[in-house]
Amino acid sequence: MASSSSASRALPDAHGRFGRYGGRYVPETLIPALDEITAAYAKTKKDKAFQKRFHVLLRTFVGRPTPLTWADRLSKKYARRIWLKREDLNHTGAHKINNAIGQALLAQKLGKQRIIAETGAGQHGVATATACALLGLKCRVYMGTEDMRRQQPNVFRMRLLGTEVVGVDSGTRTLKDAVNEALRDWVTNVESTHYILGSALGPHPYPVMVRDFQSVIGKEARAQILKAEGRLPDVLVACVGGGSNSIGLFHPFMKDTKVRFIGAEAGGRGAELGEHAARFSGGSFGVFQGMASYVLQDGDGQVVGTHSVSAGLDYASIGPEHAWLRDTKRAEYLRVSDAQALAGLHLLAETEGIIPALESAHAIGALPQVVERTRKNALLIINVSGRGDKDVAEVARLEGVAL
Ligand SMILES: *Cc1c(COP(=O)(O)O)cnc(C)c1O
């Protein structure tokens, strides 16, 4: 095998495979649509008008480029040089809008006027509803009824944006059930409908397409750190749910083999299956929701329930490129518990004046482990994937504070 870095540059192969991960495990009826998306997406890469439109919207609507903020007090605390990539400052409060706008523009190219999406906590649903309102596309979002109950404000936000939110009452009534329902809709309405998937996972070409739309994070960070420090960082740190904010940060540094990638997975409240969403600690090879990857499953191959304090990291599988990066040791993945993430949230709030999303708080909560693995004064970039406004009520509840 070639060195991991040169190999992963050429990946995925024509079948969307990163080694044994990725691919397309979907009903036959979806293959023509996936082929159509693959071809149209490949064209957009060379389409100057498309690229211009995408970047103008990122700049004038999303508010990019997001800053790279020097974290002075955090740096002193850990004796590392720490910079924060501020995806929390994007319109709608997280990185997900980058991908939602990219895919909504692609849907227009494909002549599809109807959009569907899945959402867990509602962040991807809100980002997609926002992009659809902006571009005048009809939008329906599937959401588990348990998630709807927990995330009332996001349900209302989507409705304000003109999106139809459809509750899913099957299974555990959470994200994986919403994905199943969205796939079912897509099979039925594939002629008229584009499915905007929210992370770097699912059947090919989604993992590549979402990665590329999110790579704006890493491209900006690379230019910004070179300007600020005159050199590349030693380590990049990001939380990993499906894997889109992390791969978006990592990917533009793939050829820089001295830059280490560290992903923070949800360690939840314990090491037993069902108590966390750390796919690389408790998971094994499997096929789930359109792709092959690491999956949290029992001995019979049944996907198990997961737990995380942050809804955005609470998923039983992980994007295929991360599985490949992990196996080839190009990236390392740490588990960060609910308690460590909450400590990370408090720490960033108190030392830097930034309340991160609970997802992003896992990247901050990984710092004690990152410090063990790096030399003094190592140069770090931590991705703050989203802001914590959405989580304030939940944090208060967890800490027994009545609001
Ligand atoms: C959804 C979400 C995540 C997790 O998704 P990835 O695809 O792994 O990036 C992380 N942070 C925030 C703020 C999110 O909303």
Side-chain angles (χ1 to χ4, degrees):
M1 188 170 63
S3 80
S4 66
S5 60
S6 63
S8 59
R9 246 176 285 152
L11 292 176
D13 68 14
H15 305 287
R17 292 198 171 272
F18 298 88
R20 61 180 182 152
Y21 306 109
R24 281 179 180 170
Y25 296 84
V26 294
E28 202 62 42
T29 42
L30 290 181
I31 298 293
L34 292 169
D35 282 340
E36 186 188 20
I37 295 169
T38 307
Y41 172 63
K43 268 199 215 150
T44 65
K45 291 190 122 178
K46 286 168 252 153
D47 180 341
K48 288 214 176 78
F50 181 96
Q51 290 301 331
K52 183 162 181 216
R53 186 121 195 267
F54 181 46
H55 288 284
V56 165
L57 290 177
L58 289 181
R59 184 160 50 81
T60 62
F61 184 71
V62 176
R64 305 203 71 94
T66 59
L68 189 70
T69 302
W70 168 244
D72 196 55
R73 299 183 64 216
L74 199 61
S75 294
K76 289 208 173 81
K77 177 173 168 69
Y78 286 113
R80 301 293 181 275
R81 296 186 62 76
I82 303 175
W83 293 83
L84 305 170
K85 182 59 174 161
R86 301 291 306 283
E87 292 301 296
D88 59 309
L89 293 177
N90 285 326
H91 180 44
T92 69
H95 66 291
K96 288 204 171 75
I97 191 78
N98 303 324
N99 168 54
I101 287 182
Q103 283 199 52
L105 287 174
L106 184 73
Q108 280 193 322
K109 271 255 161 215
L110 291 167
K112 308 224 164 163
Q113 287 301 319
R114 181 176 180 265
I115 299 295
I116 55 170
E118 83 296 340
T119 198
Q123 296 304 109
H124 175 56
V126 169
T128 302
T130 300
C132 288
L134 176 72
L135 299 179
L137 296 165
K138 202 172 162 211
C139 180
R140 171 186 275 193
V141 171
Y142 289 97
M143 187 169 187
T145 47
E146 174 60 17
D147 286 337
M148 284 176 79
R149 187 190 60 72
R150 291 189 291 199
Q151 308 287 340
Q152 283 292 343
N154 275 343
V155 174
F156 189 60
R157 263 182 207 116
M158 286 185 267
R159 290 180 173 150
L160 283 175
L161 291 158
T163 277
E164 180 194 2
V165 182
V166 176
V168 178
D169 238 335
S170 53
T172 52
R173 293 172 274 130
T174 57
L175 179 59
K176 76 170 167 41
D177 312 294
V179 174
N180 285 337
E181 210 50 42
L183 284 168
R184 214 163 288 145
D185 179 317
W186 205 28
V187 169
T188 315
N189 301 298
V190 66
E191 294 291 323
S192 65
T193 302
H194 176 68
Y195 179 11
I196 299 190
L197 234 162
S199 189
L201 39 70
H204 179 65
Y206 284 101
V208 195
M209 184 165 69
V210 177
R211 172 194 78 195
D212 291 350
F213 286 138
Q214 293 292 3
S215 289
V216 65
I217 303 171
K219 282 182 200 151
E220 286 176 7
R222 199 171 188 286
Q224 289 166 323
I225 197 82
L226 284 174
K227 185 148 186 264
E229 293 269 359
R231 70 176 187 95
L232 290 172
D234 298 308
V235 188
L236 305 176
V237 186
C239 67
V240 190
S244 71
N245 85 86
S246 48
I247 204 74
L249 176 66
F250 297 169
H251 200 259
F253 296 87
M254 202 65 86
K255 291 180 208 164
D256 307 307
T257 50
K258 289 204 175 110
V259 180
R260 284 167 68 184
F261 303 160
I262 298 184
E265 289 191 282
R269 58 194 165 204
E272 311 77 47
L273 215 52
E275 295 298 308
H276 63 83
R279 290 66 46 102
F280 291 137
S281 308
S284 51
F285 183 84
V287 168
F288 184 54
Q289 295 189 323
M291 63 173 178
S293 187
Y294 279 74
V295 181
L296 288 166
Q297 53 194 336
D298 66 18
D300 299 327
Q302 290 294 320
V303 173
V304 299
T306 49
H307 164 81
S308 170
V309 70
S310 76
L313 304 187
D314 199 354
Y315 187 67
S317 190
I318 185 164
E321 190 162 8
H322 285 288
W324 168 257
L325 292 176
R326 199 260 188 175
D327 282 10
T328 55
K329 300 193 162 62
R330 178 67 184 90
E332 311 154 64
Y333 297 83
L334 307 174
R335 47 190 304 161
V336 176
S337 70
D338 287 356
Q340 289 166 331
L342 278 166
L345 180 139
H346 282 284
L347 180 66
L348 196 68
E350 287 167 25
T351 57
E352 299 297 336
I354 298 166
I355 303 176
L358 277 170
E359 291 82 7
S360 326
H362 284 71
I364 308 296
L367 266 173
Q369 296 180 69
V370 171
V371 162
E372 282 173 25
R373 288 166 171 76
T374 51
R375 62 170 175 79
K376 196 166 174 236
N377 290 328
L379 185 55
L380 317 184
I381 297 177
I382 304 178
N383 202 27
V384 183
S385 54
R387 68 178 85 125
D389 306 32
K390 69 180 178 63
D391 296 318
V392 167
E394 179 64 6
V395 172
R397 192 188 66 80
L398 288 166
E399 297 179 351
V401 179
L403 291 185

